[in-house]
Amino acid sequence: MIHAIRPISVPTPVPMLLGFIAGFVDICAFLGLFQIFVAQLTGSFVFASTWLLIHHGDLLTMLAIPAFFLAGSVATVLAAGLATGGRPLIWVLGLECVLLAAMFLLMLGAPFSNAHEPRAVAAALAGVAAMGVQSAMVRLFMRDVPSTNVMTTNTTQLSVDVTLVLLSFGRVPANEADARQDRAARERCRAYFPPMAGFVAGTAIAAVCYPLAGKVAVAVPLLCACGLLVWCLRGTAKPAQA
């Protein structure tokens, strides 16, 4: 049976923390799993094309595409089909925690001899799947929250809106349309800045932590995700207003 998916009202720290998780995981995978990016798929599509057409590239990065897609599909099934009782976010967030835990446990075998070692492949795909679940979770539940793991669109939108805000300083809107544009730009800045700030902080902190602590650093995003799960279990998240 399919259930209606209701968006959840989340405070600003939630998308910021999700961005932090994605940035931290991405750096850990980059440094510990032969420079693979698990938080986004742009590079994987490039590698997939080169691997398929000119046999140059890495099979692992091509496998990331179906792993990410299937993870999003499973998250949607949990949200729409399996989670009765009105709290499907718990199931989806729990799935992300399980996948991050799998990545952490698999990376305990690092350093790996090469990118094709089964344990390395499994760790990378677990990370990709965790980010696929997170990406779908934001789309499914968090109304007006931008992507917390893909920063290209966020950067573009912020560049547009920050410029509009700067251009509006000291200027009285000529009409209501101008006023609406100014208000919308400021609102989008407030929405898009937290996940980007979290992502940047996650990459910066992970870039310092992983060389110092090694594979144990992967426990940081796992603990953050578990903290979000506890927050959700306590019933703090509320359905958004229609």
Side-chain angles (χ1 to χ4, degrees):
M1 183 177 178
I2 301 300
H3 301 274
I5 300 171
R6 296 185 298 167
I8 302 296
S9 293
V10 295
T12 299
V14 171
M16 184 176 288
L17 185 56
L18 287 172
F20 178 87
I21 291 169
F24 206 107
V25 169
D26 219 17
I27 287 291
C28 289
F30 183 81
L31 295 177
L33 296 171
F34 305 94
Q35 300 184 342
I36 183 174
F37 295 101
V38 299
Q40 53 191 324
L41 291 182
T42 303
S44 296
F45 279 105
V46 174
F47 276 114
S49 296
T50 56
W51 191 86
L52 286 170
L53 298 176
I54 62 175
H55 305 293
H56 177 76
D58 197 326
L59 178 61
L60 174 57
T61 54
M62 190 174 75
L63 293 175
I65 297 172
F68 197 98
F69 185 93
L70 289 173
S73 296
V74 172
T76 305
V77 168
L78 286 173
L82 300 181
T84 58
R87 300 181 71 189
L89 177 59
I90 294 172
W91 292 83
V92 178
L93 188 52
L95 176 59
E96 180 175 354
C97 291
V98 169
L99 291 167
L100 288 174
M103 180 184 180
F104 171 64
L105 293 174
L106 288 164
M107 285 190 70
L108 290 179
F112 302 109
S113 58
N114 59 74
H116 301 288
E117 188 174 333
R119 198 178 180 95
V121 172
L125 293 181
V128 168
M131 293 299 97
V133 168
Q134 178 171 307
S135 186
M137 177 174 66
V138 171
R139 291 288 185 270
L140 288 165
F141 297 111
M142 301 181 188
R143 179 180 295 172
D144 299 325
V145 173
S147 175
T148 58
N149 59 301
V150 181
M151 293 297 114
T152 304
T153 303
N154 292 4
T155 304
T156 302
Q157 191 64 61
L158 271 177
S159 71
V160 171
D161 292 327
V162 168
T163 303
L164 288 174
V165 170
L166 292 175
L167 290 174
S168 71
F169 279 162
R171 177 179 64 85
V172 178
N175 50 54
E176 181 57 28
D178 286 356
R180 284 198 303 269
Q181 176 177 272
D182 293 345
R183 288 194 299 269
R186 287 181 171 83
E187 290 171 1
R188 286 193 298 267
C189 282
R190 287 192 290 268
Y192 276 78
F193 180 77
M196 176 168 283
F199 191 93
V200 172
T203 57
I205 294 172
V208 174
C209 289
Y210 193 88
L212 293 176
K215 54 210 173 186
V216 179
V218 186
V220 173
L222 171 60
L223 291 174
C224 291
C226 290
L228 280 177
L229 180 60
V230 171
W231 167 80
C232 190
L233 285 167
R234 290 178 62 187
T236 308
K238 302 298 182 183
Q241 297 297 320

